[in-house]
Amino acid sequence: MQNLTEKLNVPGLSEDETNTVNHLVEQLASKARRNGLRSSFYDGKRAVHAIGSVIPPQYANIGLALGWAAKGVDGLANRCNLDEMVWPDGDLADLGMGELEDSNFLFSEFAAGRTDSLIHGVSYLITTQGVDGEPKALVHAKDALNATGDWNPRTRRLDNLLSVTSWHEGKITGFVLYLSGLTITAEKSGGKWTSDRSEHPWGVPVEPQMFKSRASRRMGTSRISRPVMGYQDAALRALIRMEAHMDIYTIPKMILLGASDSAFTNADGTAKNSWQVALGRVFGLEDDEDAMNPRADVKQFDASSPAPHLSQLNALAKLMAREVDLSDSDFALTDMANPTSEGALGRADQTLISTSEQATDGWSVGTRRTVTRALAIQNGLTEIPKEWASIVPRWRKPQYMSKAAEADAGAKQVAAVPWLAETTVGLRLLGLDDIDIAEAQAERRRNTSSSLLENLRANAEQAKTDPAVAAAASSRTGLV
């Protein structure tokens, strides 16, 4: 568990810088418990201990895990895919976009930041200049467990950011403080702090990625809401009750009348284990001569059904599905005998699609700012050129469509504007991905070149036998 109550006093920092660091450490501490709780839900590490007074306590420690909260996060994250950055007014390849993507695993880093944003409500994209042996520009995603900053609602930017780089026994042993035009790096080794500072022209080079921010919660809202946590806890309790039921209540209840104690003891006189009694096969029982009614007799009662537990789980699964805008089939355990039609799935997806579009709209500005800043650093610039303002992210459509449906819709659009068929946009509307488009355009260029060569050869052969053709060809090439 993180211990953030200690004040940090790092040599080389001014009084204002020290106050900023400790203010941000306190801010990180104030959110640590709730952020850690949500991480435990997503990672499946949430344990439920209060089960009920009739369940043996050992069943609370059997390690059951439930991935409903993670499914709610990933179900939305899977609809929010960044396909590429586009620049309608220029060529990103000339700026080294490919190098930036490859050297930083850029789209994977962005995806990690979006997932953390859904878990905690906010994550941070940090852009810095690389040193020897590193890429020219570095882009890192940081989660809210290890970074925090002050959001300025007037400038719509961060005034600062504290990024924790190392921990030891719950205490901070390394951090980077980002201030306007200044980056301070500090590390603790052997009980002593050392610091280093560097100036740069990029203000605070950090962009927050917020999910569902609003006026009262500027830094976003977690996808793992209180109802989601409540439903998952209730479902875990139901699973534990069902586990206990399977051990205790599914074995038929029996009452043995008029038998001696030998049925329950070993040969050495010690009592048999309970599982030996419950699972043993008894072919003969010795009467107890002192019993009121001799002759051993067994009375059996039917075991209770686990159906109530399954019914509760199914109800909770449907409640969870409603909360995270996923279909019942993503969670429900029963009542799904018939497959859902494509049209019904499309209607059920409308809320999730709307949430996906809202999320990508919120992430677009920070993504664009991060990419343009990184490209400027990579190209050795000291400011972002104004013409780069048209560089924007292109998100994949959040709705799932069959290839046939996508091609049909695209064909209708291309038919309305025929010249689109000759463009990359038009081919994309027809359902081709970027690899297919690149291959198709390359093959078309090769075929066009081959056709041109064939025509030239044919004209050359004809010119050998037809003086008029030869004279026309010579006039076109300026030989006569």
Side-chain angles (χ1 to χ4, degrees), residues 1-2 31-49 63-71 73-74 115-116 118-120 143-145 222-225 228-230 232-233 236 320:
M1 186 66 181
Q2 297 172 358
K31 304 293 184 180
R33 189 183 70 83
R34 299 300 297 180
N35 285 333
L37 177 64
R38 286 180 165 86
S39 292
S40 69
F41 270 94
Y42 181 81
D43 294 330
K45 296 180 179 179
R46 168 67 171 171
V48 177
H49 297 293
L64 285 176
L66 196 61
W68 284 2
K71 185 180 285 290
V73 169
D74 295 339
T115 300
D116 284 328
L118 294 175
I119 295 172
H120 301 128
D143 66 7
L145 283 168
S222 173
R223 175 81 165 162
I224 305 177
S225 61
V228 166
M229 292 188 286
Q232 178 153 323
D233 277 348
L236 269 176
M320 178 69 81

Side-chain angles (χ1 to χ4, degrees), residues 325-396:
D325 302 323
L326 295 177
S327 65
D328 289 350
S329 59
D330 288 315
F331 293 96
L333 308 175
T334 60
D335 300 338
M336 300 302 298
N338 297 320
T340 306
S341 67
E342 183 177 351
L345 283 175
R347 289 190 295 272
D349 280 349
Q350 289 306 310
T351 304
L352 183 63
I353 291 170
S354 176
T355 304
S356 303
E357 293 172 342
Q358 179 188 13
T360 54
D361 287 346
W363 291 328
S364 289
V365 174
T367 301
R368 180 184 63 78
R369 287 178 177 177
T370 297
V371 168
T372 53
R373 185 186 298 115
L375 286 173
I377 293 174
Q378 182 174 277
N379 285 276
L381 305 179
T382 57
E383 63 179 7
I384 300 172
K386 292 181 179 179
E387 55 267 26
W388 290 9
S390 58
I391 296 176
V392 293
R394 184 170 71 82
W395 301 93
R396 190 178 307 165

Side-chain angles (χ1 to χ4, degrees), residues 18-33:
T18 299
N19 290 338
T20 299
V21 167
N22 285 304
H23 154 66
L24 294 177
V25 168
E26 290 178 5
Q27 186 167 284
L28 194 65
S30 67
K31 304 293 184 180
R33 189 183 70 83

Side-chain angles (χ1 to χ4, degrees), residues 276-324:
Q276 289 177 305
V277 175
L279 301 180
R281 297 292 185 266
V282 179
F283 296 98
L285 291 173
E286 181 181 351
D287 280 347
D288 183 355
E289 298 295 341
D290 298 328
M292 294 292 295
N293 296 302
R295 300 251 56 91
D297 187 16
V298 176
K299 304 294 184 183
Q300 178 177 333
F301 300 88
D302 291 337
S304 57
S305 170
H309 304 295
L310 293 173
S311 296
Q312 184 190 15
L313 274 174
N314 197 47
L316 290 169
K318 291 181 178 180
L319 287 170
M320 178 69 81
R322 302 296 185 276
E323 182 65 25
V324 297

